[in-house]
Amino acid sequence: MNLSPKDLGFDEVTECEVHCEFWRPIQLKGIENNNEWIKIESLDSFPQKTILCITCIFLEGTGYQIGSSRTRTPDDLLRMWQNAELTHYKVIDSNPPIY
């Protein structure tokens, strides 16, 4: 196809990740791992220990709502999922690096 980001109206510096001849819009960064969001589809999707996480519910037709970041037990998350209060969660690193 041999088109550059500029040919398609993207600013290569601010809107794209460029790796040799491959590039993509920067808005797609993290798409490989869903930006670390975990979709709850079964009981296997729950963590085995208490975690610090952000919770989220996707409401059809209205977008989504993100809850606050809190420490939650697997039982908390299970109850929320069973009550249709939760569809996804994202683990927060409770010990971020200091630099």
Side-chain angles (χ1 to χ4, degrees):
M1 195 163 126
N2 226 9
L3 293 173
S4 73
K6 193 172 187 174
D7 294 335
L8 297 173
F10 290 98
D11 179 349
E12 281 189 43
V13 176
T14 61
E15 297 180 313
C16 297
E17 292 181 289
V18 179
H19 302 282
C20 300
E21 70 273 7
F22 301 104
W23 65 274
R24 67 178 176 189
I26 203 157
Q27 293 89 339
L28 296 178
K29 187 173 186 163
I31 197 169
E32 301 85 8
N33 63 4
N34 201 25
N35 272 332
E36 299 176 8
W37 282 95
I38 298 166
K39 182 177 182 182
I40 301 175
E41 298 179 289
S42 70
L43 294 176
D44 296 333
S45 303
F46 291 96
Q48 300 301 310
K49 60 181 183 174
T50 298
I51 58 169
L52 177 62
C53 67
I54 302 172
T55 57
C56 175
I57 183 169
F58 282 86
L59 301 173
E60 198 166 324
T62 62
Y64 60 90
Q65 297 176 352
I66 296 181
S68 61
S69 55
R70 288 185 42 191
T71 301
R72 305 226 186 235
T73 66
D75 289 339
D76 291 339
L77 295 173
L78 176 61
R79 180 193 46 75
M80 291 172 71
W81 181 60
Q82 290 171 332
N83 292 334
E85 300 170 356
L86 175 69
T87 57
H88 294 72
Y89 69 91
K90 182 176 184 175
V91 178
I92 299 172
D93 183 4
S94 58
N95 295 315
I98 299 173
Y99 51 86

